[in-house]
Amino acid sequence: MSDNINEPWGNTVLVEFDEHRIAWVRFNRPDKRNAMNPTLNREMLATLDHLEDDDRCAVVVLTGSDDAFSAGMDLKEYFRETDGKPRSVQHRVRGEGTNWQYRKLLNYAKPTIAMVNGWCFGGAFVPLVSCDLAIASEDATFGLSEVNWGVTPGNLVTRALAETIPTRDAMFYIMTGQHFDGKRASEMRLVNEAVPADQLRARTIELALQLTSLSQWVVRGAKMGFRHSRLMSWEAAEDYLYAKHDQAILFDTDAREQGMTQFLDDKTYRPGLGTYATTAE
């Protein structure tokens, strides 16, 4: 249930709910192009924890304030302010980012969509890839500029690229530091699609509504089945995927029955072309 009193956002992260039960989670450091600092990382983890149990949220859309998604890690707070400090401090700061950008998002209970509305650089690639789906503005600017200032890509950025785009493209942008736009990001499959900026929000809502029209237990089982089984042997994957299949049916007994009945008996829809009509909750 919702608990408005203990909402953890409001400083470096903003959350807005709409009538579609979309939670618009926005990085909110516009003066820094929404660069992620330790405060934002802590607030993002608390925000995602809260939204998992908030009935106002069925889908999380991750985006940024003003004209940026996120410029990546805040170099001053990540590097300058931790230089010379004990290694434990550096590990803690790094871990605070990884906790939500990778571990939390990758296994999130609700569907997640990254809406890249502008500048997206460096460390921002990790939460981008960890979201289930991603849509970008055609004129958004992406880049891995780390080599331009004398370091290698930090955190799990390189692993995120290996998860999504072809090796040749990844090597090119990692090694040259060149930037690219949303259209190119879509061509490489870093994002699902790129649309004109004035259509970005509407297209994101359209996709979110498609996700919420389905059984949430089935959607979750389907996404986790893919994420984990692709790293397993065929034998282990068979056992795991059947367990996810049975779990979805156990927790949402109506979904399969409605879908089968409306297709086989009522003949009111075709599964290959649409979804069954859900009953009102």
Side-chain angles (χ1 to χ4, degrees):
M1 296 179 64
S2 304
D3 186 355
N4 299 358
I5 296 176
N6 296 318
E7 290 174 350
W9 53 84
N11 184 15
T12 61
V13 176
L14 296 180
V15 177
E16 298 175 3
F17 301 94
D18 66 16
E19 67 275 19
H20 307 299
R21 295 177 66 211
I22 300 172
W24 300 86
V25 179
R26 198 175 301 275
F27 301 129
N28 190 45
R29 301 185 74 217
D31 57 322
K32 300 291 185 180
R33 281 185 166 166
N34 302 320
M36 298 177 290
N37 66 348
T39 300
L40 183 146
N41 286 333
R42 289 190 291 270
E43 194 166 332
M44 274 299 309
L45 180 59
T47 295
L48 291 172
D49 278 342
H50 184 98
L51 292 177
E52 276 191 313
D53 296 322
D54 195 318
D55 295 335
R56 295 171 295 175
C57 170
V59 176
V60 169
V61 173
L62 185 63
T63 189
S65 295
D66 291 355
D67 61 351
F69 180 74
S70 172
M73 297 188 297
D74 185 311
L75 303 186
K76 181 175 182 291
E77 294 194 38
Y78 265 105
F79 297 103
R80 279 285 174 84
E81 294 184 3
T82 60
D83 284 349
K85 292 189 175 181
R87 182 66 66 178
S88 60
V89 174
Q90 298 179 10
H91 281 305
R92 175 176 54 78
V93 170
R94 293 173 182 176
E96 287 173 345
T98 303
N99 282 342
W100 77 268
Q101 295 170 22
Y102 156 60
R103 293 188 182 91
K104 188 68 175 181
L105 270 182
L106 207 63
N107 297 286
Y108 205 60
K110 296 178 179 180
T112 57
I113 303 172
M115 187 179 82
V116 185
N117 55 311
W119 203 259
C120 180
F121 272 69
F125 278 56
V126 179
L128 165 64
V129 170
S130 294
C131 284
D132 301 324
L133 304 173
I135 301 177
S137 169
E138 291 178 343
D139 59 4
T141 303
F142 296 78
L144 298 162
S145 59
E146 285 86 348
V147 295
N148 294 335
W149 49 277
V151 300
T152 61
N155 196 1
L156 288 165
V157 171
T158 299
R159 180 64 182 86
L161 289 178
E163 187 75 10
T164 49
I165 72 175
T167 298
R168 288 296 185 194
D169 294 316
M171 292 289 285
F172 180 84
Y173 290 109
I174 287 172
M175 295 177 68
T176 66
Q178 291 188 25
H179 62 269
F180 53 96
D181 62 16
K183 290 182 179 179
R184 183 72 181 116
S186 178
E187 292 170 357
M188 292 187 295
R189 311 310 297 149
L190 180 62
V191 300
N192 292 98
E193 59 186 276
V195 299
D198 61 357
Q199 299 176 23
L200 182 60
R201 184 180 177 92
R203 177 60 182 133
T204 303
I205 292 173
E206 181 182 16
L207 183 56
L209 290 177
Q210 186 174 356
L211 294 173
T212 58
S213 71
L214 303 166
S215 163
Q216 295 309 289
W217 280 105
V218 171
V219 170
R220 182 182 182 185
K223 87 170 185 179
M224 297 313 300
F226 174 78
R227 287 200 185 279
H228 293 302
S229 69
R230 61 189 295 272
L231 304 175
M232 298 176 180
S233 68
W234 283 67
E235 290 77 10
E238 179 183 23
D239 184 67
Y240 178 78
L241 290 172
Y242 269 116
K244 282 296 175 188
H245 172 81
D246 294 342
Q247 182 187 55
I249 294 175
L250 175 65
F251 283 99
D252 192 345
T253 56
D254 292 336
R256 181 176 182 275
E257 183 60 29
Q258 289 181 51
M260 297 285 281
T261 298
Q262 291 175 32
F263 173 52
L264 297 176
D265 303 326
D266 303 339
K267 303 188 185 303
T268 54
Y269 83 111
R270 297 178 181 180
L273 303 178
T275 186
Y276 66 91
T278 57
T279 57
E281 294 184 358

